[in-house]
Amino acid sequence: MRIAVTGASGRVGRAVAAELSSRGHDVVGLDLVPPRTPLDGVEYLVGDLSDLPIADPRLAGVEAVAHLGAFMSWSPADAERILSANTDATVHLVRALEGSAVRRFVLASTGEVYPENAPQYQPLDEDHPRLPTTWYGLSKVLAEEVVAFAGRTLDWSTVVLRFSHTQDPAELLDPDSFFSGPRFFASRRLARERAAGHAAVVAALEPFADDDSTLLVASREDGAPVQMGILGTPDLAHGVVLALEAETTGHEVIGLGPDEPLDLGAFARDLAAAAGLGTVDVVLPVSAPSYTTSNARARELLGFAPRLSRDDLIRLAVAARTERLAAAAGGPGASAPS
């Protein structure tokens, strides 16, 4: 098929485009920014989705779409930008595809639509009420409705994929990572806990304010583990590819996540041991997010099964950190302190 992938310069979009190309598909990558390293065989269209014309002739031959482009923020100050990038841009993309050869449309959505950090029941599944508490979650609820509308009115088969948390293994031990820094590194978690007013947690973390070699081993005051579903980027990308190639009809909503949640505290402890890093135990309030999700529908409808194990994530994370430190020290043969 000729498949358009939005957000093709991002970590998930790039992985999806690469796998599609390797499976013989003709890929058109759309993104606001050009890729750092273009993929061979992928045609890139750089620009804002909101600038696409109705019935864009450049997209006339597209048969399927993976709409992955989005702006992520949990700040109310970004409300207008969030809605513009995630909801309005979806409308513009649908209009740009009017009259095209499209017969299948896959939307990247999120567990923020429930939201995951305030579940009414667990494991969370596709039937859970959508009651978002952030502008980001709301923007995805609205985008889901736009896609369902497009499927009904344009006779497309549509799939909404509600992603669990996605983590590139190479980011797990990178303190500068947008996702992993504040999740696993004591030094990078400090600002978040200060802003939340969690005095006991701040006191435990303050000794590590300038220390990027100590990982946070978190539990909750009620004794429960801090757990969530984490899916490696390669597995998430594969799930998107399966959704594009599937033969479902009508409109389907599918949760895409791991088989089992990760206990983040235990995982951080094992990461630290494998990388030779230190740890600090911290007890978080009972409000700390902890939830499980179901991927039963993804298994049933898409034949999806994660391929990266917990041990794989740790192994790849350590390898990436070793390579990063060697490069910073002056080359592959150089050594660097952990």
Side-chain angles (χ1 to χ4, degrees):
M1 292 185 288
R2 183 166 174 80
I3 301 176
V5 178
T6 71
S9 297
R11 58 177 185 156
V12 175
R14 179 181 175 82
V16 169
E19 183 170 344
L20 288 172
S21 183
S22 73
R23 292 164 79 99
H25 297 291
D26 182 17
V27 181
V28 181
L30 295 87
D31 205 300
L32 187 62
V33 298
R36 291 184 180 179
T37 305
L39 294 168
D40 290 340
V42 175
E43 174 189 345
Y44 290 95
L45 299 178
V46 177
D48 194 322
L49 294 180
S50 295
D51 293 333
L52 294 174
I54 296 173
D56 191 333
R58 298 172 298 175
L59 303 178
V62 168
E63 300 165 85
V65 179
H67 182 26
L68 311 176
F71 173 64
M72 297 181 69
S73 172
W74 288 267
S75 171
D78 290 328
E80 288 79 6
R81 183 180 175 188
I82 292 167
L83 291 170
S84 175
N86 300 344
T87 305
D88 296 346
T90 302
V91 174
H92 285 282
L93 177 61
V94 167
R95 299 296 316 268
L97 293 164
E98 289 178 1
S100 70
V102 166
R103 60 179 185 270
R104 191 164 191 81
F105 192 108
V106 176
L107 171 71
S109 188
T110 171
E112 285 277 326
V113 302
Y114 301 131
E116 293 161 322
N117 61 359
Q120 294 187 3
Y121 62 82
Q122 299 190 57
L124 282 152
D125 61 22
E126 299 84 355
D127 296 323
H128 191 284
R130 294 180 301 173
L131 299 168
T133 57
T134 63
W135 286 102
Y136 177 67
L138 175 62
S139 74
K140 287 297 188 175
V141 168
L142 297 174
E144 289 186 6
E145 292 302 316
V146 170
V147 171
F149 170 81
R152 291 193 304 271
T153 59
L154 298 172
D155 196 27
W156 296 346
S157 296
T158 51
V159 178
V160 166
L161 295 177
R162 290 182 184 154
F163 293 173
S164 67
H165 179 72
T166 309
Q167 190 78 63
D168 197 287
E171 299 171 347
L172 286 167
L173 286 171
D174 182 357
D176 295 320
S177 164
F178 176 79
F179 294 106
S180 295
R183 178 159 288 120
F184 294 114
F185 285 84
S187 57
R188 306 310 173 92
R189 183 62 172 258
L190 189 54
R192 177 186 294 182
E193 298 302 330
R194 278 198 184 114
H198 297 154
V201 180
V202 170
L205 295 180
E206 277 183 333
F208 306 96
D210 300 312
D211 177 2
D212 283 345
S213 62
T214 300
L215 299 191
L216 181 80
V217 176
S219 60
R220 297 202 322 179
E221 286 176 344
D222 59 0
V226 178
Q227 61 180 357
M228 64 189 301
I230 292 183
L231 199 61
T233 300
D235 282 334
L236 186 80
H238 184 59
V240 174
V241 171
L242 291 177
L244 288 163
E245 294 180 342
E247 296 182 357
T248 59
T249 58
H251 182 68
E252 294 286 355
V253 178
I254 301 173
L256 197 60
D259 293 339
E260 300 290 339
L262 280 180
D263 176 332
L264 296 185
F267 185 64
R269 196 182 300 281
D270 290 346
L271 270 175
L277 301 175
T279 61
V280 56
D281 290 347
V282 173
V283 178
L284 300 177
V286 294
S287 57
S290 185
Y291 57 87
T292 62
T293 57
S294 170
N295 67 6
R297 192 172 292 179
R299 286 182 168 274
E300 175 189 353
L301 296 180
L302 306 180
F304 173 75
R307 297 181 288 189
L308 288 178
S309 69
R310 183 181 188 276
D311 288 345
D312 289 333
L313 292 175
I314 292 173
R315 174 179 54 81
L316 293 169
V318 171
R321 182 175 186 275
T322 300
E323 182 178 345
R324 198 162 49 244
L325 290 176
S335 61
S338 61

